[in-house]
Amino acid sequence: MRLEPKDLYEKLEFDKITALLEKECFGELGREAVRNLPLLTDVKLLERQLKEVWEYKLTLEKGDHFPLAAYDDLAEDLKMLDIEGYVLPEDGFRRINMVLVIVANVFRFFTPERQKIYPRLHDLVRPVNFDKTLLQAIGKVFDENGDIRPDASPALQGIRRGIISKQRELDKVFRSLINNYRNSGWLTDNVESIRNNRRVLSVPVEHKRKIRGIIHDESATGRTAFIEPEPVIDINNDIFDLQQEERREIWRILKELSDTFRPYTPALREYLELVTRFDVILAKARLAAQMNGEMPKLTAKPSFGTEMGRHPLLLLKNRKLGRETVPFDLKLHGENRIVVLSGPNAGGKSILMKSVGLLQLMLQSGLLVPMDEISEMGIFENIFADIGDQQSLEDDLSTYSSRLINMRSFLEHADGKTLVLIDEFGSGTDPKMGGAIAEAILKELNERKAFGVITTHYSNLKMFAFKTPGIINGCMLFDQQHLAPTYMFKAGRPGSSYAFEIAQKSGLNKKILTYARQRTGKNETAVDELLIDLQREKKEVEEKLATVGEREKQLDRLIKIYDELQRDLEFQRKKFKLEAKEKGLQQVARDNKELEKLVREIREEQNLEKAKQLAEQAREERQKMEATVSELRQEVYDVPAAPKGTKKGSFQPGDFVRMRSGGATGTVESVDKNKAIVQIGQMRMTVPVRDLEHANEPLDEKKKTSVQSDSVARNAGFDNKLDIRGMTPEEALKVVEDFLDRALMTSASNLRIVHGKGTGVLRKTVKNKIREYREVKQVYHPASDDGGDGVTVVEF
């Protein structure tokens, strides 16, 4: 990833963010890791890291204590431990023990229930195989305070008992000597002291010859001698010998322990890496909790989609002072990629521009950011910034020449995955020439498909942004009545510098202001007002075009519905006619039975001529009725001839066929010589091929489309706006669910849900319900003058 200039982190104040993270870390390894956070461009990897931080933040919110504690770097200890025969000192094992205890507690933390609540955090632990025997082995040697246990070995236990016994003996003898010498007046008020690790008496120098023993030292004044009495010399020698044995035994124990741990140094490095990883996640989560950081939606392509964004450092500062931080929405639609930001000085232009860059750096470092969770953020592979005075006496660069060098570098490397941030674009030289050069650079950046936020006061750049596709004007709103900035961002319109108004408020002499107004003339103000009017008219035209487009789509849907309804009506008409004829045929069949009965009676009466006449008459009527029904069936079901190139009676799997007897239609599943398996409704039948004939798809199947068309027709008048203000969350949940379901049924693409601002409960209820629908393309709040965060817009 390319960052320019080299001090980009300082320009955007990302170094202050890392400093805040360092304060939240438990160990130096964690602090080193946050100082060198990588900027990620892999969406899947970045999303995984953000989810890890989000889950850790959830533990903080739930009060579910995660067992991390202070730890030290083990690199040097493990490096020495790898050397065969090296004995790791006690301090080294104390450091290892701290890490082992943390890892053991982390594994204990992930109960089956917590594994479900924090799956991403558990994924970090899952591949690690924690060996409890290491903790048990170190626990046999060291106690909870990190000291060597008295019972670390039987020999050590015996040695320490001997030391305790000798110390008691020494204490008894020493107390007796003190009492005797004190009564004789041979001791100072301090009575005793320690010299050369030996217990000695504090004796005035004039009495030192009266006490037999070894003189270890004298006071600085020479008035006091420190004497080890003769009766305790042997006892002290015994204690010294036992302490030497204790050291040798401890060394032997540590050597055995070192040999035990030596094969496990790779595992210990893995444990240390795991603890460091959790330490970094902890620091990110704690900082996110302080600034209400959220995880926005991620897209692989570069884009601006900030909703309710705030500058992180300004937010923390204002929170301490009890001030409100004004949020901003920066969401560009269509082909727009660059915002030319104008407005009054001290109105918040530079803060907004820096916020965009800082939030992007934080996000791609795996940090939750202070914005609404419905925000949709893209990924950039290059981030360039030109902010502040960069003149250099060493390099013989003026402010403007240094900025031109930056621009040259930006243009050399800018592409469609680049974010460019430029403050006071074009300033530092003659306004006319500087504005022209700035316009040319802006044109080139736009042609390279770069994204950017650029602040300026130049009218030619505002006009260029208005005329050029891909670039949009934006402004920081100004309260003209109170002559004060509002710090609110408005996309789609240029802003005025309000130089005269601010100068008047600052108390500048009216005479000076009058002269300045006369020199300026009305052109500058007129250009700004003209741009605002043009931008408003352009927006109105775009909205009308969008409305016309939507109505054309609706008209196409209605025409389609009408055609389907007409076909359905024609089908019903023919079908009713067919049913009537079939009923007539059934009546003829019944009449034939009566006729046959009559023929039998006539035969019995031997009137054969009359019987023949009646039978012939019935046969003709039946043939006539069958012909009529056959014609109607042919008309309704539209039975085709066999496809060209196929033999008569030749069928393929998937063909629609009709049975010659009965007229039932179905689909051929398979053909075996002279027989075919046909699916008719819910039945599968084996039918001789000679009894089948080709048919089109039955209109009964097409009728399903007509039923769906009826449903679309009923919902054609669907209203895409819903107002739930005044409802309880429970009522709103049901209403919103029904609203979204009907929207999906009617293929509505854009919805507006009005829930009001209030405490934000209804807004959160709406967001939670929307997350259940996978068909949602994006969710956002409109501009402030269109409802702001009191309205949620949903696009399917």
Side-chain angles (χ1 to χ4, degrees):
M1 186 167 183
R2 190 179 188 90
L3 304 176
E4 290 191 14
K6 294 179 180 179
D7 61 346
L8 177 72
Y9 281 4
E10 289 75 19
K11 295 289 185 186
L12 296 178
E13 299 181 289
F14 185 67
D15 58 324
K16 295 181 180 179
I17 296 294
T18 56
L20 292 174
L21 287 173
E22 285 185 54
K23 293 180 182 179
E24 301 297 339
C25 290
F26 276 115
E28 183 56 36
L29 285 177
R31 287 186 279 274
E32 184 180 349
V34 299
R35 281 195 294 269
N36 299 286
L37 283 175
L39 296 179
L40 304 176
T41 55
D42 185 328
V43 176
K44 291 184 178 179
L45 178 59
L46 178 57
E47 191 173 44
R48 188 172 74 225
Q49 288 198 12
L50 290 172
K51 285 182 178 178
E52 290 168 1
V53 178
W54 185 86
E55 287 182 2
Y56 205 121
K57 179 170 168 267
L58 185 61
T59 69
L60 300 176
E61 293 171 350
K62 292 167 65 72
D64 206 357
H65 176 66
F66 195 87
L68 271 187
Y71 64 97
D72 293 314
D73 187 3
L74 304 181
E76 192 63 30
D77 295 323
L78 297 180
K79 178 182 176 182
M80 299 305 295
L81 193 57
D82 280 331
I83 301 173
E84 192 66 34
Y86 180 79
V87 178
L88 194 65
E90 294 177 39
D91 286 344
F93 279 111
R94 289 190 187 100
R95 288 188 286 268
I96 289 175
N97 187 49
M98 289 165 59
V99 172
L100 290 174
V101 169
I102 292 172
V103 175
N105 289 335
V106 167
F107 271 82
R108 257 193 304 271
F109 173 82
F110 285 105
T111 60
E113 183 181 355
R114 285 186 176 130
Q115 290 176 17
K116 295 177 182 177
I117 300 174
Y118 314 115
R120 297 290 178 176
L121 292 179
H122 183 245
D123 285 345
L124 298 177
V125 176
R126 197 192 305 273
V128 178
N129 181 24
F130 180 64
D131 194 338
K132 296 180 180 178
T133 59
L134 293 177
L135 198 58
Q136 293 168 357
I138 210 169
K140 291 178 180 178
V141 177
F142 290 88
D143 60 18
E144 294 177 355
N145 298 321
D147 298 323
I148 300 288
R149 298 175 65 93
D151 57 350
S153 74
L156 182 63
Q157 192 171 20
I159 292 169
R160 288 195 170 177
R161 284 176 179 170
I163 291 174
I164 292 171
S165 176
K166 285 295 181 179
Q167 285 176 340
R168 287 175 181 170
E169 182 182 350
L170 174 66
D171 190 55
K172 183 177 179 182
V173 173
F174 218 84
R175 280 201 305 268
S176 176
L177 291 173
I178 288 173
N179 288 334
N180 291 336
Y181 295 152
R182 183 185 286 164
N183 292 334
S184 300
W186 294 350
L187 301 178
T188 64
D189 293 338
N190 293 332
V191 180
E192 65 175 294
S193 184
I194 299 292
R195 289 292 186 274
N196 301 324
N197 293 323
R198 297 283 184 128
R199 195 170 176 183
V200 295
L201 294 173
S202 180
V203 181
V205 71
E206 62 268 20
H207 299 303
K208 67 179 181 179
R209 300 297 178 188
K210 297 177 183 178
I211 299 176
R212 295 179 63 81
I214 299 172
I215 299 175
H216 283 273
D217 195 9
E218 287 187 351
S219 65
T221 60
R223 294 180 180 180
T224 304
F226 298 101
I227 302 174
E228 181 183 6
E230 191 177 61
V232 301
I233 291 175
D234 290 339
I235 300 174
N236 275 330
N237 288 339
D238 291 341
I239 292 174
F240 178 78
D241 290 340
L242 287 170
Q243 288 174 340
Q244 290 299 106
E245 287 183 34
E246 180 187 33
R247 291 190 187 95
R248 286 193 292 272
E249 180 60 18
I250 289 175
W251 186 88
R252 187 192 65 78
I253 293 169
L254 293 177
K255 185 177 186 304
E256 286 185 359
L257 194 59
S258 297
D259 293 339
T260 301
F261 270 73
R262 187 164 291 110
Y264 293 94
T265 52
L268 292 171
R269 289 187 177 92
E270 187 178 18
Y271 300 158
L272 182 63
E273 186 179 339
L274 179 66
V275 172
T276 305
R277 180 74 178 275
F278 276 118
D279 196 16
V280 173
I281 295 172
L282 160 73
K284 291 179 178 180
R286 284 182 170 175
L287 185 62
Q290 294 174 30
M291 59 178 62
N292 297 332
E294 294 289 351
M295 178 180 169
K297 296 179 181 178
L298 295 180
T299 59
K301 296 180 180 179
S303 64
F304 289 138
T306 304
E307 299 272 354
M308 304 292 288
R310 292 173 174 84
H311 190 290
L313 298 174
L314 184 62
L315 176 64
L316 295 176
K317 177 184 176 182
N318 286 343
R319 184 166 292 170
K320 289 180 181 179
L321 299 175
R323 298 174 183 169
E324 181 185 0
T325 305
V326 180
F328 68 90
D329 294 345
L330 181 59
K331 193 173 182 72
L332 301 186
H333 300 281
E335 296 298 318
N336 293 326
R337 299 180 313 280
I338 299 177
V339 178
V340 173
L341 185 59
S342 52
N345 289 314
K349 298 190 303 296
S350 297
I351 289 292
L352 188 142
M353 179 201 61
K354 287 183 177 180
S355 297
V356 172
L358 182 55
L359 290 174
Q360 195 67 44
L361 289 175
M362 289 176 63
L363 180 72
Q364 291 190 225
S365 299
L367 288 163
L368 302 182
V369 285
M371 62 177 64
D372 200 299
E373 59 187 2
I374 66 172
S375 300
E376 190 169 323
M377 300 288 285
I379 303 298
F380 293 94
E381 294 186 3
N382 305 310
I383 300 180
F384 303 152
D386 184 82
I387 300 170
D389 187 356
Q390 301 177 50
Q391 67 176 333
S392 172
L393 296 177
E394 294 178 359
D395 298 329
D396 195 23
L397 291 176
S398 67
T399 300
Y400 188 66
S401 59
S402 66
R403 303 194 78 168
L404 289 179
I405 289 174
N406 283 342
M407 293 304 111
R408 183 188 67 190
S409 178
F410 293 177
L411 293 175
E412 285 176 358
H413 302 102
D415 56 22
K417 297 178 180 179
T418 301
L419 172 62
V420 180
L421 306 169
I422 305 176
D423 194 23
E424 301 295 345
F425 196 27
S427 63
T429 187
D430 179 86
K432 189 172 183 179
M433 289 183 285
I437 293 173
E439 185 175 322
I441 293 171
L442 181 58
K443 178 176 178 291
E444 184 67 20
L445 287 172
N446 186 47
E447 289 175 354
R448 290 174 179 264
K449 306 297 182 184
F451 288 73
V453 177
I454 295 170
T455 69
T456 188
H457 290 282
Y458 288 178
S459 296
N460 70 304
L461 295 181
K462 300 176 193 177
M463 184 65 74
F464 182 74
F466 171 75
K467 295 187 297 183
T468 308
I471 308 177
I472 186 174
N473 275 301
C475 70
M476 305 304 295
L477 300 179
F478 188 77
D479 185 349
Q480 297 185 46
Q481 183 177 356
H482 299 94
L483 298 178
T486 64
Y487 306 109
M488 296 176 66
F489 171 69
K490 173 73 174 178
R493 57 175 291 182
S496 171
S497 297
Y498 293 102
F500 291 121
E501 289 81 356
I502 294 173
Q504 182 179 348
K505 184 182 179 183
S506 66
L508 202 62
N509 191 290
K510 287 185 178 180
K511 181 180 178 182
I512 295 174
L513 289 175
T514 301
Y515 180 80
R517 288 181 191 275
Q518 290 173 352
R519 295 293 299 166
T520 304
K522 298 181 179 180
N523 291 339
E524 291 295 326
T525 306
V527 168
D528 283 345
E529 291 177 352
L530 176 62
L531 276 174
I532 292 172
D533 291 339
L534 288 173
Q535 197 77 45
R536 184 174 59 250
E537 291 175 4
K538 180 181 178 182
K539 185 178 179 182
E540 289 175 357
V541 170
E542 288 174 349
E543 288 176 351
K544 287 180 180 178
L545 286 173
T547 303
V548 170
E550 188 65 33
R551 288 182 177 176
E552 284 182 354
K553 291 179 183 178
Q554 188 176 7
L555 181 61
D556 290 341
R557 286 199 300 268
L558 290 173
I559 291 173
K560 187 177 179 181
I561 291 168
Y562 172 79
D563 291 341
E564 290 173 351
L565 289 173
Q566 188 178 25
R567 286 194 297 270
D568 187 43
L569 184 62
E570 184 66 17
F571 167 78
Q572 294 291 348
R573 185 185 66 79
K574 293 178 180 179
K575 190 172 181 181
F576 288 152
K577 187 175 179 181
L578 175 61
E579 287 173 352
K581 292 295 182 181
E582 285 178 337
K583 286 180 181 179
L585 186 59
Q586 291 170 2
Q587 184 62 42
V588 169
R590 286 195 295 270
D591 293 343
N592 283 345
K593 288 181 181 179
E594 294 293 330
L595 183 60
E596 288 172 359
K597 182 179 177 183
L598 183 60
V599 168
R600 283 196 299 273
E601 292 175 356
I602 293 172
R603 280 178 180 168
E604 290 173 359
E605 296 176 1
Q606 301 299 317
N607 195 345
L608 295 178
E609 191 62 34
K610 186 177 181 181
K612 287 180 181 180
Q613 185 180 353
L614 289 173
E616 185 63 30
Q617 183 181 349
R619 191 180 300 112
E620 289 176 1
E621 289 180 2
R622 182 167 183 170
Q623 288 175 349
K624 223 184 253 186
M625 185 65 72
E626 285 178 347
T628 304
V629 171
S630 179
E631 289 175 6
L632 282 171
R633 277 195 180 133
Q634 184 75 19
E635 186 179 0
V636 172
Y637 294 109
D638 192 21
V639 179
K644 290 183 179 179
T646 60
K647 297 180 180 180
K648 186 175 180 182
S650 176
F651 301 98
Q652 300 294 328
D655 287 351
F656 287 101
V657 295
R658 188 184 70 174
M659 296 181 66
R660 296 180 185 278
S661 59
T665 59
T667 308
V668 176
E669 289 194 350
S670 63
V671 180
D672 184 14
K673 295 182 179 179
N674 296 324
K675 292 185 178 181
I677 297 176
V678 182
Q679 182 77 33
I680 301 175
Q682 301 296 322
M683 297 185 298
R684 294 171 76 247
M685 301 175 63
T686 302
V687 184
V689 173
R690 65 176 179 272
D691 292 340
L692 298 176
E693 58 185 359
H694 284 278
N696 279 338
E697 180 182 357
L699 284 179
D700 284 343
E701 293 292 329
K702 298 179 181 177
K703 186 179 177 185
K704 295 177 183 176
T705 306
S706 300
V707 173
Q708 293 172 355
S709 301
D710 291 341
S711 175
V712 175
R714 286 194 301 270
N715 292 288
F718 172 72
D719 186 1
N720 69 340
K721 181 177 179 182
L722 175 67
D723 191 339
I724 59 171
R725 288 176 293 184
M727 296 185 185
T728 64
E730 292 76 15
E731 293 171 344
L733 203 61
K734 177 62 180 170
V735 171
V736 170
E737 181 178 9
D738 182 59
F739 178 66
L740 294 173
D741 289 344
R742 286 191 290 114
L744 286 173
M745 291 170 62
T746 58
S747 300
S749 59
N750 188 285
L751 310 178
R752 289 174 60 88
I753 303 176
V754 182
H755 43 66
K757 298 182 180 179
T759 60
V761 175
L762 286 180
R763 182 174 70 240
K764 197 166 185 179
T765 301
V766 170
K767 287 180 187 175
N768 291 336
K769 175 53 65 177
I770 291 171
R771 285 197 196 100
E772 298 175 7
Y773 290 80
R774 294 184 179 179
E775 297 83 0
V776 173
K777 179 182 178 183
Q778 62 177 343
V779 181
Y780 59 90
H781 298 302
S784 300
D785 59 350
D786 199 18
D789 56 351
V791 176
T792 296
V793 179
V794 184
E795 290 186 3
F796 285 115

